[in-house]
Amino acid sequence: GDAQLGDGTTSTRRSPVAVWRLDYDCASVTEIPPSECRTLVTFFEATNGPLWRAHTDWLRTATPCSWQGVACEAGHVSQLSLPANHLVDALPAALGDLPGLQRLDLSTNQLTGPVPVTLGQLTALQHLDLSANLDATALPLGLHQVTIRSKDERGEWSVPYTTVITRGGGRITGYEYWIDDQVADRVMNP
């Protein structure tokens, strides 16, 4: 609140404001390669990191493996898991520069734009969840691997099924899926 000072003026007490070092220097980071550190910084900046719901330690410590949602193995980023964390805008192509990434879960955010084709470079990737996020009409041309699974009322997931689809030259205007040869759902975009 306001406080009256001895000279007749008032002083307003303000809440502390978070200061983000968007010029973060990865040179002091030793637990992962500098290139992977720079990728994490690019990711933070591209998805409006200062406004994420949870961003503990991001760009504040020299230990990226302790940053909210980041895990590392054998000196490389192995996991980036920030579901329902208010990430916005497009995923940066730089994510393809995390060669040890095994798990990427950015589900239930407000990400837009195409899925970066560089994610195809992530040969260690075992789990990718971008659900409730990206617009399927934004898929780039070419081959895409699609994996589906179902969840029952007990919360147990089925064995995933993976197939490959090809996006040709036209704009995707809708999609549908079948269960037991019956159309189960159809989504059409304007």
Short mmCIF file of all heavy atoms in Angstrom, two decimals, residues 6 20 51 83 94-95 104 124 131-132 167 177 180:
data_model
loop_
_atom_site.label_atom_id
_atom_site.label_comp_id
_atom_site.label_asym_id
_atom_site.label_seq_id
_atom_site.Cartn_x
_atom_site.Cartn_y
_atom_site.Cartn_z
N GLY A 6 8.30 11.14 5.60
CA GLY A 6 8.52 12.30 6.45
C GLY A 6 8.52 13.62 5.71
O GLY A 6 8.24 14.67 6.28
N TRP A 20 13.21 -11.57 -16.46
CA TRP A 20 13.62 -12.67 -17.31
C TRP A 20 14.82 -12.25 -18.10
O TRP A 20 14.83 -11.20 -18.72
CB TRP A 20 12.48 -13.08 -18.24
CG TRP A 20 11.34 -13.60 -17.46
CD1 TRP A 20 10.23 -12.92 -17.09
CD2 TRP A 20 11.23 -14.87 -16.86
NE1 TRP A 20 9.42 -13.71 -16.33
CE2 TRP A 20 10.02 -14.92 -16.17
CE3 TRP A 20 12.05 -16.00 -16.84
CZ2 TRP A 20 9.60 -16.03 -15.47
CZ3 TRP A 20 11.62 -17.11 -16.15
CH2 TRP A 20 10.41 -17.12 -15.48
N LEU A 51 5.02 -16.17 -19.38
CA LEU A 51 3.60 -16.25 -19.02
C LEU A 51 3.11 -17.69 -18.83
O LEU A 51 1.92 -17.91 -18.66
CB LEU A 51 2.75 -15.54 -20.08
CG LEU A 51 3.00 -14.03 -20.17
CD1 LEU A 51 2.10 -13.41 -21.23
CD2 LEU A 51 2.80 -13.34 -18.84
N PRO A 83 2.67 -30.11 -20.04
CA PRO A 83 1.26 -30.12 -20.42
C PRO A 83 0.45 -29.09 -19.66
O PRO A 83 0.78 -28.77 -18.51
CB PRO A 83 0.82 -31.55 -20.08
CG PRO A 83 1.74 -31.96 -18.97
CD PRO A 83 3.05 -31.29 -19.27
N ALA A 94 13.87 -25.39 -33.84
CA ALA A 94 15.06 -25.76 -33.05
C ALA A 94 14.83 -26.99 -32.18
O ALA A 94 15.79 -27.64 -31.76
CB ALA A 94 15.49 -24.59 -32.18
N LEU A 95 13.57 -27.37 -31.89
CA LEU A 95 13.33 -28.56 -31.09
C LEU A 95 13.96 -29.81 -31.71
O LEU A 95 14.28 -30.76 -31.00
CB LEU A 95 11.83 -28.79 -30.88
CG LEU A 95 11.17 -27.91 -29.83
CD1 LEU A 95 9.67 -28.21 -29.77
CD2 LEU A 95 11.79 -28.12 -28.46
N LEU A 104 8.29 -35.91 -25.38
CA LEU A 104 7.88 -34.52 -25.60
C LEU A 104 6.38 -34.46 -25.37
O LEU A 104 5.59 -35.00 -26.14
CB LEU A 104 8.23 -34.07 -27.02
CG LEU A 104 7.84 -32.64 -27.40
CD1 LEU A 104 8.52 -31.62 -26.49
CD2 LEU A 104 8.19 -32.36 -28.85
N ALA A 124 15.50 -40.57 -31.13
CA ALA A 124 15.32 -41.19 -29.81
C ALA A 124 13.90 -41.01 -29.29
O ALA A 124 13.54 -41.62 -28.29
CB ALA A 124 16.33 -40.60 -28.82
N SER A 131 -1.50 -33.30 -28.23
CA SER A 131 -2.96 -33.31 -28.31
C SER A 131 -3.57 -32.05 -27.71
O SER A 131 -2.97 -31.38 -26.88
CB SER A 131 -3.51 -34.55 -27.60
OG SER A 131 -3.18 -34.53 -26.23
N ALA A 132 -4.79 -31.77 -28.13
CA ALA A 132 -5.57 -30.61 -27.66
C ALA A 132 -4.78 -29.33 -27.85
O ALA A 132 -4.69 -28.49 -26.98
CB ALA A 132 -5.97 -30.80 -26.19
N ARG A 167 0.25 -36.44 -46.53
CA ARG A 167 -0.47 -35.20 -46.82
C ARG A 167 -0.02 -34.74 -48.18
O ARG A 167 1.15 -34.47 -48.41
CB ARG A 167 -0.15 -34.14 -45.77
CG ARG A 167 -0.60 -32.75 -46.23
CD ARG A 167 -1.56 -32.10 -45.28
NE ARG A 167 -2.24 -30.99 -45.89
CZ ARG A 167 -1.73 -29.77 -46.07
NH1 ARG A 167 -0.53 -29.50 -45.68
NH2 ARG A 167 -2.45 -28.83 -46.64
N TYR A 177 -12.48 -40.79 -38.28
CA TYR A 177 -11.92 -42.09 -37.91
C TYR A 177 -13.05 -43.08 -37.73
O TYR A 177 -14.20 -42.71 -37.56
CB TYR A 177 -11.02 -42.00 -36.68
CG TYR A 177 -11.70 -41.56 -35.40
CD1 TYR A 177 -12.27 -42.50 -34.55
CD2 TYR A 177 -11.74 -40.22 -35.04
CE1 TYR A 177 -12.89 -42.10 -33.37
CE2 TYR A 177 -12.34 -39.82 -33.86
CZ TYR A 177 -12.91 -40.77 -33.03
OH TYR A 177 -13.52 -40.38 -31.86
N ASP A 180 -14.60 -50.38 -35.83
CA ASP A 180 -15.35 -51.52 -36.37
C ASP A 180 -16.06 -51.15 -37.67
O ASP A 180 -17.24 -51.45 -37.87
CB ASP A 180 -16.36 -52.05 -35.34
CG ASP A 180 -15.69 -52.61 -34.11
OD1 ASP A 180 -14.55 -53.12 -34.24
OD2 ASP A 180 -16.29 -52.53 -33.03
#
